[in-house]
Amino acid sequence: MPDTSLKTRNVILALATTALLSGCGATSKLGDWLRGGDESATSDAVIIGAPDAETYLAELYELASGDTRRQAAIYEDASSAAQLAPGPSSSLRLALVLATPGHANSNPSRAVTMLREVLEQEPLLTSGELSLATVSLLNAERLAAASGEVARLLDASQQAVRNEEESANRRVTAVEAENRRLREQLEEAEEKLEAITSIERTIREQQ
């Protein structure tokens, strides 16, 4: 079982890769922060109660690699903390959980909204939190867009199936109506034939 430092390095690598793929200016900021070369980090005021970046990253790694019970527990804890102790750090923690795919409570769209709100409180964030929020927002936006496209395609597919079913039902109804009409015509023809046969029989008997 990898230790916490290895877990943290793995998550850092994943976040850095996301940033590189995003092609955004946040890449250099994240890179400086990860290398410890961000000058602004040394001048940041200490924010009381704010977790360090390693705490967030360790939980994200555990969330990404844990079983469903542990994933649910992490979400419930983060959600409760955001409600009981609202603030940029607790909101960021919940947003990061929501932005992480692969568990039942993943919600990229909600994560996007929360991360944007967190970033509006930049003065209350540490440099590590700011970097995490920025990179996670880029990833969540892409996940939300992809989820929306999947939902749109699914709706379109389901609508196409419904349309085909309705069309098939209309064809079946039309065929059944035509069969009823033909049966009625056949019955009328049989009645006429029987009447003619009865008349001919009567004529022959009278002769």
Side-chain angles (χ1 to χ4, degrees), residues 24 26 29 115 119 129-139:
C24 176
K29 179 181 287 188
L115 287 167
L119 287 171
E129 288 178 327
L130 180 59
S131 297
L132 281 173
T134 301
V135 173
S136 295
L137 176 59
L138 296 174
N139 189 48

Side-chain angles (χ1 to χ4, degrees), residues 1-206:
M1 183 70 177
D3 58 23
T4 302
S5 297
L6 180 57
K7 291 180 180 180
T8 301
R9 286 197 296 272
N10 288 339
V11 178
I12 290 175
L13 179 60
L15 289 171
T17 301
T18 302
L20 288 172
L21 292 175
S22 71
C24 176
T27 304
S28 60
K29 179 181 287 188
L30 178 63
D32 290 340
W33 170 65
L34 293 175
R35 291 190 297 271
D38 185 359
E39 295 180 359
S40 65
T42 60
S43 61
D44 280 346
V46 175
I47 299 177
I48 298 176
D52 57 28
E54 186 169 325
T55 300
Y56 290 108
L57 294 173
E59 185 169 73
L60 290 180
Y61 179 84
E62 189 175 6
L63 180 68
S65 59
D67 59 23
T68 55
R69 181 176 299 179
R70 179 56 185 152
Q71 290 171 338
I74 290 174
Y75 167 76
E76 291 297 335
D77 188 55
S79 181
S80 296
Q83 292 178 2
L84 297 175
S89 294
S90 60
S91 294
L92 174 59
R93 181 190 175 198
L94 177 57
L96 292 175
V97 170
L98 294 172
T100 303
H103 64 98
N105 294 294
S106 178
N107 190 333
S109 296
R110 185 183 172 197
V112 167
T113 299
M114 292 190 67
L115 287 167
R116 287 173 179 169
E117 292 174 349
V118 167
L119 287 171
E120 290 177 354
Q121 305 176 67
E122 181 175 343
L124 301 178
L125 302 173
T126 65
S127 60
E129 288 178 327
L130 180 59
S131 297
L132 281 173
T134 301
V135 173
S136 295
L137 176 59
L138 296 174
N139 189 48
E141 287 174 337
R142 292 187 176 186
L143 286 174
S147 298
E149 180 64 13
V150 169
R152 186 189 68 80
L153 292 175
L154 181 59
D155 287 343
S157 176
Q158 291 175 340
Q159 184 60 49
V161 171
R162 287 194 294 269
N163 290 342
E164 182 60 28
E165 290 177 346
E166 291 175 358
S167 179
N169 289 336
R170 286 194 295 269
R171 290 194 296 270
V172 169
T173 299
V175 169
E176 290 177 345
E178 179 66 11
N179 287 339
R180 285 195 299 271
R181 186 183 67 82
L182 291 175
R183 283 197 300 270
E184 290 173 356
Q185 289 182 344
L186 178 60
E187 290 173 357
E188 290 177 359
E190 289 175 344
E191 290 175 356
K192 291 179 180 179
L193 179 60
E194 184 178 350
I196 292 172
T197 301
S198 177
I199 292 172
E200 291 176 345
R201 186 168 49 251
T202 301
I203 293 174
R204 284 197 302 271
E205 289 175 354
Q206 291 177 349

